[in-house]
Amino acid sequence: MNKKILYLTEAAVIAAIYTVLVFLFQYSSFGPFQFRIAEALTILPYFSAAAIPGVTLGCLLSNILFSNIFDIIFGTLATLIGAYLSYRLRANKFLVPIPPIVVNALIIPWVLKYAGFAEESIPLMMVSIAGGQLLAAGVLGMLLLFTLDKVKHIIFKNY
């Protein structure tokens, strides 16, 4: 099979899964105290570069459906940066969830504050967003990583 088609298909499937997870859990996916279950997928760059556009597109689509222009731009940018940095750290699987946690904790509180969606202080929201990301990317994501690591040869292809 053509590697480009495989790459695009993998990215599209990841984007679709991310978007569906946000749709299913939309009430916990937004706001100053959020637990976005779809963020568990941010560990997927450990397995495939296709996960970078996959989770980024999934975040973009989710934000278009449920959020505002600030989140569409900066929330998606945060996901892109986190996914790219996770990919760069893939040599050590335990470092993979750190970029999405840190990047989202640094960017999303500003988005919420200046878009008028939160009255809480920036430092409080940084802690809150980091906590939600720690649960989603750090705990759920690492469970997903270890599970997929056992079957990665079946699911992910090297490009």
Side-chain angles (χ1 to χ4, degrees), residues 18-157:
Y18 188 104
T19 306
V20 167
L21 286 172
V22 171
F23 176 77
L24 291 174
F25 301 101
Q26 62 188 286
Y27 298 107
S28 67
S29 294
F30 297 94
F33 305 102
Q34 59 183 254
F35 173 56
R36 188 179 276 201
I37 291 172
E39 286 291 299
L41 301 179
T42 60
I43 59 84
L44 293 178
Y46 173 77
F47 299 102
S48 171
I52 298 169
V55 296
T56 302
L57 182 58
C59 180
L60 174 66
L61 292 171
S62 299
N63 290 341
I64 288 171
L65 291 171
F66 302 109
S67 198
N68 62 63
I69 190 67
F70 297 106
D71 205 16
I72 291 168
I73 295 168
F74 297 107
T76 303
L77 182 61
T79 298
L80 174 61
I81 294 166
Y84 173 75
L85 293 174
S86 290
Y87 180 75
R88 299 287 298 173
L89 293 174
R90 71 190 182 282
N92 183 334
K93 69 176 77 178
F94 295 100
L95 297 179
V96 171
I98 293 174
I101 295 168
V102 172
V103 171
N104 279 287
L106 293 175
I107 294 175
I108 300 306
W110 297 96
V111 172
L112 294 170
K113 188 74 164 184
Y114 290 104
F117 287 113
E119 307 240 345
E120 294 77 13
S121 70
I122 297 287
L124 176 64
M125 285 190 289
M126 285 179 167
V127 170
S128 170
I129 298 295
Q133 283 292 118
L134 182 63
L135 290 173
V139 176
L140 291 179
M142 288 306 284
L143 288 170
L144 180 62
L145 187 146
F146 284 112
T147 302
L148 290 175
D149 207 21
K150 294 178 182 180
V151 295
K152 67 183 173 195
H153 62 282
I154 298 169
I155 300 172
F156 297 100
K157 307 296 180 198

